[in-house]
């Protein structure tokens, strides 16, 4: 099922014409109504699709500099809703939606959710946090638009989630991948069976996650796991998501125009190579954003998708450019560590990176939990020296850096109800 066949299967020419027309409208709208854009986009600034790369970028720092409402293009009474980013890396940024923007949001959420298997009449267990964070309400409104029954479970204690999942038997679950794993683990610990709740699909996002986490989620809940992506500055979740082919995330590119740029040189990156995702809103009225530097690293998936949708696709997000750690001259992403760890079957998908910069030579320690079965087999953590050494060896081979590996007791690392904290820096 495709939610909006007309919009989602446009041929390349029609898609480009629509994007071009909407880009011109957006540039004109922003220039006429937002001082920040008026200064940066003179009337002579190019506004054709081909000239997109000539327009200046908008950065998170610009949003912060105009905190809270300085980039709004309509008067506050015409803003129907405010949200804010999670503030993962500093002061949150505030975003505003007109009634029409909320409608666009529902539309793109419905597309993304239907692509992941949501159907009218299905029950959805929504374990994204409700509040200023866009996850909870974004999925809530999307589910209502599709015609689903939504359970606004939000970030309740895991015992509550267990009860609702077991008793209500929803068709779908949505959450951050780390919180979903936490729920599954808590269910098992209480004698429940997360794969016995009848779930047919799970939608996970709001933080980086790897194929290893996908396998862990699919094993835990016994149903396919779909990657969903978005950010509050653009609209919230609904910017992109996987279809049943699960070969990249379809971008709702009739509403959000994607580009990939080299984060260092700012130049456009072609040919499916990795770079930073830049997004331009094409229909947003409350807070249009032109060439927003998301910081998120990905690449365009070349070629057509088996599902029939013709929108651009992006690969799984590797992380944010500012997630990159530099330890003794070696650059690495937490997602690379995760991929190596989760290839080891004796480990649970819970880990933390501790970077200690208090000495001249920074050190990286990785704390990771073996599974309970592994610890039981070895007669305790002390019996797992061989496993620890093997992980250290694999990490050295993958990262080109020697790291200290510490195996910690199962279920001892902090669990999160929202975005997982993977890195701790000691300075
Ligand atoms: P904040 O930037 O403060 O965390 P948001 O709550 O708007 O604010 O989060 C958006 C960010 O979350 C994205 O820019 C991206 O870094 C991350 N994110 C969202 N979905 C995914 C996903 N599916 N995979 C990886 N990262 C994601
Ligand atoms: Zn597809």
């Amino acid at each position: 099922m495709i939610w909006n066949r007309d919009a989602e299967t446009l041929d390349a020419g029609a898609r480009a014409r629509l994007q071009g027309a909407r880009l011109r409208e957006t540039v004109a709208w922003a220039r006429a109504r937002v001082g920040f854009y008026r200064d940066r986009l003179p009337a002579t600034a190019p506004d054709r699709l081909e000239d997109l790369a000539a327009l200046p970028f908008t950065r998170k720092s610009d949003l912060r500099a105009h905190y809270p409402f300085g980039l709004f293009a309509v008067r506050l009474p015409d803003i129907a809703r405010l949200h804010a980013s999670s503030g993962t890396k500093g002061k949150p940024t505030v975003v505003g939606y007109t009634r029409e923007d909320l409608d666009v949001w529902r539309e793109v959420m419905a597309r993304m959710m239907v692509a992941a298997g949501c159907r009218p009449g299905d029950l959805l267990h929504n374990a994204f946090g409700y509040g200023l964070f866009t996850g909870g309400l974004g999925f809530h409104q999307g589910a209502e638009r599709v015609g689903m029954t939504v359970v606004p479970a939000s970030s309740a204690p895991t015992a509550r989630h267990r009860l609702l999942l077991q008793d209500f038997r929803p068709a779908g679950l949505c959450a951050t991948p780390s919180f979903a794993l936490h729920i599954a683990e808590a269910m098992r610990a209480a004698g429940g069976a997360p794969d016995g709740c009848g779930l047919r699909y799970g939608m996970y996002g709001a933080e980086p996650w790897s194929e290893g986490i996908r396998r862990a989620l699919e094993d835990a809940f016994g149903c396919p796991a779909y990657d969903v992506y978005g950010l509050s500055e653009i609209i919230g979740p609904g910017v992109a998501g996987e279809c049943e082919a699960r070969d990249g995330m379809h971008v709702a590119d009739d509403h959000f125009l994607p580009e990939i740029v080299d984060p260092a040189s700012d130049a456009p990156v072609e040919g499916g190579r990795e770079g930073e995702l830049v997004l331009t809103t094409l229909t947003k009225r409350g807070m249009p954003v032109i060439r927003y530097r998301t910081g998120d690293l990905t690449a365009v998936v070349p070629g057509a998708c088996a599902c029939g949708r013709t929108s651009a696709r992006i690969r799984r997000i590797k992380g944010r450019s500012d997630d990159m750690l530099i330890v003794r001259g070696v650059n690495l992403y937490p997602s690379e560590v995760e991929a190596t760890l989760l290839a080891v079957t004796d480990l649970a998908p819970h880990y933390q990176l501790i970077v200690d910069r208090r000495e001249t030579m920074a050190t990286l320690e990785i704390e990771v939990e073996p599974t309970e079965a592994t610890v039981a087999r070895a007669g305790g953590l002390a019996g797992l020296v061989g496993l620890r050494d093997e992980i250290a060896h694999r990490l050295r081979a993958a990262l080109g850096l020697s790291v200290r590996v510490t195996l910690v007791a199962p279920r001892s690392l902090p669990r999160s109800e929202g975005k997982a904290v993977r890195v701790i820096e000691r300075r």
Side-chain angles (χ1 to χ4, degrees):
M1 179 179 168
I2 295 183
W3 176 254
N4 184 340
R5 188 164 285 276
D6 288 348
E8 294 181 77
T9 63
L10 284 172
D11 67 51
R15 189 174 291 276
R17 278 193 300 281
L18 181 65
Q19 290 170 331
R22 288 180 168 178
L23 177 65
R24 276 195 299 279
E25 275 169 32
T26 299
V27 169
W29 180 265
R31 177 191 290 140
R33 293 164 165 264
V34 187
F36 170 76
Y37 287 115
R38 189 173 312 126
D39 297 343
R40 295 155 50 103
L41 301 169
T44 52
D47 60 0
R48 293 179 314 164
L49 200 53
E50 313 75 282
D51 304 322
L52 185 61
L55 299 180
F57 293 115
T58 304
R59 295 173 196 272
K60 197 161 200 130
S61 54
D62 296 320
L63 269 69
R64 292 209 176 106
H66 295 85
Y67 176 89
F69 307 141
L71 294 184
F72 288 6
V74 301
R75 296 171 320 125
L76 206 50
D78 294 324
I79 291 286
R81 171 107 59 83
L82 295 174
H83 276 285
S85 74
S86 315
T88 311
K89 299 262 158 129
K91 189 159 145 184
T93 46
V94 178
V95 295
Y97 306 71
T98 63
R99 278 169 221 296
E100 295 74 24
D101 295 339
L102 290 175
D103 233 30
V104 168
W105 193 10
R106 290 188 187 96
E107 158 71 16
V108 294
M109 280 307 296
R111 290 185 196 176
M112 185 178 87
M113 293 170 73
V114 165
C118 295
R119 295 292 177 269
D122 281 1
L123 191 68
L124 178 70
H125 183 96
N126 184 1
F128 278 113
Y130 281 62
L132 283 170
F133 172 55
T134 50
L137 281 164
F139 275 85
H140 186 98
Q141 303 172 128
E144 288 185 341
R145 173 60 58 95
V146 173
M148 305 172 80
T149 307
V150 53
V151 183
S154 193
S155 46
T158 50
R160 170 60 63 90
H161 287 281
R162 170 165 54 89
L163 190 80
L164 297 174
L165 288 166
Q166 283 171 350
D167 295 351
F168 292 5
R169 299 187 65 77
L173 165 67
C174 55
T176 60
S178 55
F179 188 41
L181 285 173
H182 179 29
I183 293 173
E185 180 183 61
M187 280 181 87
R188 280 201 223 96
D195 57 352
C197 301
L199 282 166
R200 297 205 320 266
Y201 47 85
M203 294 167 285
Y204 308 105
E207 65 186 6
W209 55 302
S210 64
E211 286 302 310
I213 298 271
R214 182 179 337 244
R215 279 192 299 278
L217 284 164
E218 295 189 338
D219 285 351
F221 290 105
C223 67
Y226 292 87
D227 197 359
V228 292
Y229 168 79
L231 63 168
S232 53
E233 292 85 347
I234 296 302
I235 201 144
V239 173
E242 287 180 327
C243 64
E244 65 273 17
R246 296 197 288 166
D247 182 22
M249 295 186 278
H250 285 278
V251 181
D253 61 1
D254 51 336
H255 293 287
F256 319 111
L257 193 61
E259 300 169 80
I260 308 284
V261 305
D262 180 327
S265 73
D266 296 349
V269 164
E270 305 293 341
R273 280 183 300 121
E274 184 184 278
E276 180 179 340
L277 179 65
V278 171
L279 290 164
T280 298
T281 64
L282 294 177
T283 50
K284 243 185 18 172
R285 290 296 178 252
M287 198 184 112
V289 185
I290 294 172
R291 299 197 83 209
Y292 184 67
R293 296 285 295 249
T294 65
D296 294 326
L297 298 173
T298 182
V300 167
V301 180
C305 186
C307 74
R309 293 176 182 82
T310 55
S311 42
R313 282 172 298 152
I314 53 172
R315 297 219 180 275
R316 186 184 269 300
I317 307 284
K318 178 175 171 186
R320 306 189 204 220
S321 42
D322 58 3
D323 283 342
M324 190 179 80
L325 296 170
I326 306 179
V327 182
R328 300 201 299 278
V330 175
N331 300 351
L332 64 111
Y333 284 90
S335 58
E336 294 169 322
V337 172
E338 179 176 305
T340 306
L341 292 177
L342 295 197
V344 181
T345 48
D346 294 331
L347 296 179
H350 298 284
Y351 65 94
Q352 209 155 43
L353 279 64
I354 300 161
V355 189
D356 194 334
R357 300 192 189 279
R358 290 173 301 188
E359 304 290 329
T360 340
M361 293 288 272
T363 57
L364 173 61
E365 176 184 356
I366 292 171
E367 293 187 340
V368 61
E369 294 178 8
T371 62
E372 286 183 309
T374 306
V375 177
R377 258 199 319 275
L381 278 178
L384 290 171
V385 179
L387 175 65
R388 189 198 62 198
D389 292 347
E390 184 203 331
I391 298 163
H393 175 77
R394 286 193 190 207
L395 286 168
R396 191 163 52 242
L399 308 173
L401 179 74
S402 48
V403 298
R404 191 159 130 222
V405 174
T406 307
L407 299 181
V408 300
R411 312 190 57 207
S412 65
L413 289 174
R415 304 294 197 254
S416 124
E417 292 174 357
K419 302 186 187 226
V421 178
R422 300 293 193 195
V423 180
I424 294 174
E425 297 236 17
R426 300 208 170 112
R427 298 175 184 279

